[in-house]
Amino acid sequence: SEMEHTAADPVVVGRGELLAAESLAEFAARGTRSSVTVRTPDADALAAALSGGLLDETGTGGDRGSVGGTISAVNPLVSLQSSLNSQDNREVLRYRTDNRQVTDQYLRIIALDEFNGVKWEASGRSLTDVPERLPTPQGLGDPVRQTATEVRTNISAAGNYGQRYLPMPYPATQVDIPGRWRYEPAGRTLVGDQTGKDRFQTVQGVQYTVRSLQLRPTAQQLSAAPKPPAAVVAEYTKLPDNLPPIVRETARQVTRGTRDDYAAAARLQDWFASSGGFRYDTKVDSGTGSMAIARFLQDREGFCIHFAFSMAAMSRSLGIPARVAVGFTPGTQQADGSMSVSMKNAHAWPELYFEGIGWTRFEPTPGQGSTPDYARPEAPVAQPTAPTALPSQSAQAPAPAASASDECPPDMKKLGECGGAAAGADTGAGQGGPSAGAVLGWVAAGLAVAGLPLLPMLWRSRLRARRLAAGEVLAAWRELGDAAWDVGIPPDEALSPRSAAQRVVVLGKLEPDAAEAALRVAGAVERLLYA
């Protein structure tokens, strides 16, 4: 097959060279801009496997005839599915950061902003020299900018990672990197410049430092965002004419009753991630363009590109500017404090535009990455597992004396237990003390107050028994999380079940048997939700 790019002379790749490159996808991901001819007996099968779908083997954009003037490189999506399914989970990046919310620090490579019905791709845009300080992100206003923190991340790329696009936290404000790089302002990406005939700068083996903004928009700010500029709406809500009606119809149905674009976006995200019955599966065929999205909405199984592409297309159908970002989830923390990013951290996610905030990440893929604080339905309450309305009637202090009754028996009246002073009773000067009823009331109140500290324990014991008696996986998972919270390990909803269980094992210093049991519960949850 041929992959036509901008350069002149063809480069012929023999069978041995192809095997050394490990796969056509990985070879393409290196960003070669020459015409590549693959001569192997399996070339047709390889081409068929990679062509014409949500994954595209060329993925070029811009002016093919220029050199270094516009983006015209291989779409990183070409290797995303093969990376997720690869048995060789090699490390591609290692980094250290002073970002205290590292679980939210995705490493973004490129933004795909054009959907032509066949594929999503990066539109051709002019490149400029990399400025010393990158300009203010598009759409970012002062209220959100003033609450942001600039963080520093030092990144080392593996010697076998030959990507032309530079992985960076978003939005980057400054990049210190050796080599020859160019800057694309709309997507805020860096792409390797030409270094010779058919040769281009890549991230292979490079060490670099990125300063970026850790933005903290609130749900209220997103909800109150004014309408975006007309030019942004016109460019980033374009949809192909062949978009199946199910995309628009499903978007309207899922978001019915929402009052603004943010509420609609959050509803879409939650529908994909939890309430819509979708299943995460990296083995699903990528399919073809618009029809692939329609099939995904019907079959409800796929991996990150299906979730990202579908949410972006549905958002556009609602008039919300949207594009798709490609890169990596934050990776895995190592014993020395560094973060390791492997091939299986390859990911795609939608970015939606809100005026005053700018391009904003959402996470519709279930069990992958982390849901941003602003996009969660509600924040976890910072108190023990008992609900706010825990105290029952027994927790309320009784009245000092029993209330009077018109039908109080005569013998009770004599004891003064029908309220106030006993009717008709002799009350001399020496009999002015409290009645027996009042004393009993005070004793009951004292016992109730003394028993208040025991109520959470009693409530938790009852809840635990009910959950475990149900024999359901999710009930056991909730009980595990609450048991951890009881001993001072609050939940972190940004983590996957497996990561959450590992966190409990480490922070709770569990014995081997208990640790194994916790991980078994997490495995059962993942099988139930995603298998």
Side-chain angles (χ1 to χ4, degrees):
S1 65
E2 284 197 357
M3 291 181 292
E4 197 63 33
H5 298 302
T6 61
D9 299 331
V11 174
V12 177
V13 182
R15 184 177 182 84
E17 290 173 277
L18 178 65
L19 294 176
E22 297 184 8
S23 70
L24 177 61
E26 191 166 328
F27 180 84
R30 296 184 180 184
T32 307
R33 290 176 62 178
S34 57
S35 174
V36 180
T37 303
V38 181
R39 293 178 180 172
T40 79
D42 301 321
D44 292 339
L46 286 169
L50 291 170
S51 63
L54 290 173
L55 302 180
D56 180 70
E57 80 272 22
T58 56
T60 57
D63 182 4
R64 293 176 179 266
S66 64
V67 177
T70 60
I71 287 183
S72 183
V74 174
N75 187 333
L77 283 177
V78 70
S79 59
L80 197 154
Q81 186 173 29
S82 61
S83 295
L84 293 175
N85 287 320
S86 173
Q87 298 299 316
D88 182 10
N89 191 28
R90 289 173 296 168
E91 180 180 89
V92 293
L93 299 167
R94 178 70 68 99
Y95 68 91
R96 292 180 180 273
T97 181
D98 57 8
N99 187 347
R100 295 185 178 181
Q101 292 181 295
V102 69
T103 55
D104 287 337
Q105 182 165 288
Y106 284 37
L107 297 176
R108 184 174 171 278
I109 295 175
I110 191 174
L112 310 179
D113 54 9
E114 191 173 285
F115 182 39
N116 59 16
V118 176
K119 60 182 178 292
W120 284 83
E121 61 185 357
S123 57
R125 298 180 186 275
S126 298
L127 301 177
T128 66
D129 293 335
V130 181
E132 183 175 348
R133 290 281 298 184
L134 275 57
T136 301
Q138 181 184 18
L140 180 59
D142 287 340
V144 176
R145 175 67 179 87
Q146 290 167 1
T147 61
T149 303
E150 188 171 72
V151 297
R152 177 188 176 103
T153 304
N154 298 316
I155 306 173
S156 298
N160 55 9
Y161 180 54
Q163 176 62 248
R164 261 191 73 195
Y165 295 95
L166 189 67
M168 300 187 296
Y170 184 86
T173 56
Q174 189 174 14
V175 185
D176 182 11
I177 185 171
R180 299 180 59 176
W181 298 88
R182 303 279 281 167
Y183 176 62
E184 193 278 287
R188 298 183 72 82
T189 57
L190 262 66
V191 59
D193 201 359
Q194 188 166 12
T195 58
K197 185 178 180 180
D198 303 333
R199 294 197 305 274
F200 296 85
Q201 177 72 56
T202 73
V203 72
Q204 188 171 1
V206 173
Q207 296 184 0
Y208 56 104
T209 300
V210 180
R211 292 186 179 273
S212 59
L213 293 178
Q214 182 186 347
L215 301 177
R216 300 186 185 89
T218 65
Q220 291 75 17
Q221 288 172 324
L222 287 160
S223 182
K227 289 184 178 180
V232 172
V233 175
E235 181 173 4
Y236 294 102
T237 59
K238 289 180 181 177
L239 287 169
D241 294 336
N242 66 345
L243 188 71
I246 188 176
V247 179
R248 288 187 172 89
E249 292 169 0
T250 305
R252 287 196 296 268
Q253 181 181 357
V254 171
T255 61
R256 183 178 293 120
T258 55
R259 62 186 179 277
D260 52 55
D261 286 351
Y262 164 71
R267 180 78 62 80
L268 282 176
Q269 174 190 258
D270 295 339
W271 182 68
F272 281 115
S274 58
S275 64
F278 286 86
R279 186 171 72 93
Y280 181 80
D281 186 356
T282 60
K283 303 294 185 181
V284 172
D285 182 18
S286 57
T288 303
S290 295
M291 293 308 299
I293 295 178
R295 186 162 53 251
F296 171 64
L297 295 178
Q298 292 174 338
D299 297 344
R300 303 200 178 186
E301 57 181 9
F303 60 104
C304 58
I305 63 167
H306 299 94
F307 289 93
F309 289 178
S310 298
M311 181 170 171
M314 292 169 75
S315 297
R316 286 191 172 194
S317 76
L318 298 171
I320 306 173
R323 63 190 186 188
V324 174
V326 181
F328 298 98
T329 54
T332 305
Q333 189 165 20
Q334 305 300 295
D336 63 358
S338 65
M339 300 293 292
S340 174
V341 178
S342 69
M343 293 171 66
K344 289 190 180 298
N345 291 119
H347 195 48
W349 61 92
E351 291 181 339
L352 276 57
Y353 182 90
F354 293 90
E355 187 66 19
I357 297 92
W359 289 103
T360 306
R361 176 176 72 86
F362 285 81
E363 184 51 88
T365 306
Q368 305 299 308
S370 65
T371 303
D373 288 341
Y374 53 77
R376 294 177 185 175
E378 58 184 30
V381 292
Q383 67 176 49
T385 53
T388 303
L390 170 65
S392 63
Q393 302 239 352
S394 62
Q396 299 174 0
S403 58
S405 172
D406 293 336
E407 299 180 358
C408 185
D411 56 335
M412 295 295 287
K413 289 183 179 180
K414 292 179 181 179
L415 293 175
E417 294 194 10
C418 293
D426 294 333
T427 55
Q431 296 177 335
S435 68
V439 172
L440 290 175
W442 293 341
V443 171
L447 291 174
V449 172
L452 277 176
L454 299 177
L455 286 177
M457 182 183 70
L458 296 174
W459 183 87
R460 282 287 294 119
S461 298
R462 182 179 178 185
L463 178 62
R464 176 181 289 115
R466 186 168 68 248
R467 282 175 171 173
L468 299 184
E472 297 177 354
V473 171
L474 293 182
W477 177 247
R478 286 192 292 270
E479 179 55 36
L480 175 60
D482 283 351
W485 202 348
D486 289 340
V487 295
I489 306 175
D492 184 349
E493 295 183 355
L495 299 178
S496 66
R498 188 173 308 179
S499 297
Q502 290 172 341
R503 177 172 174 267
V504 170
V505 168
V506 173
L507 297 182
K509 300 179 181 178
L510 300 189
E511 296 294 334
D513 289 346
E516 184 180 351
L519 294 175
R520 280 203 306 271
V521 176
V525 172
E526 290 184 337
R527 286 192 297 274
L528 177 66
L529 295 180
Y530 312 129

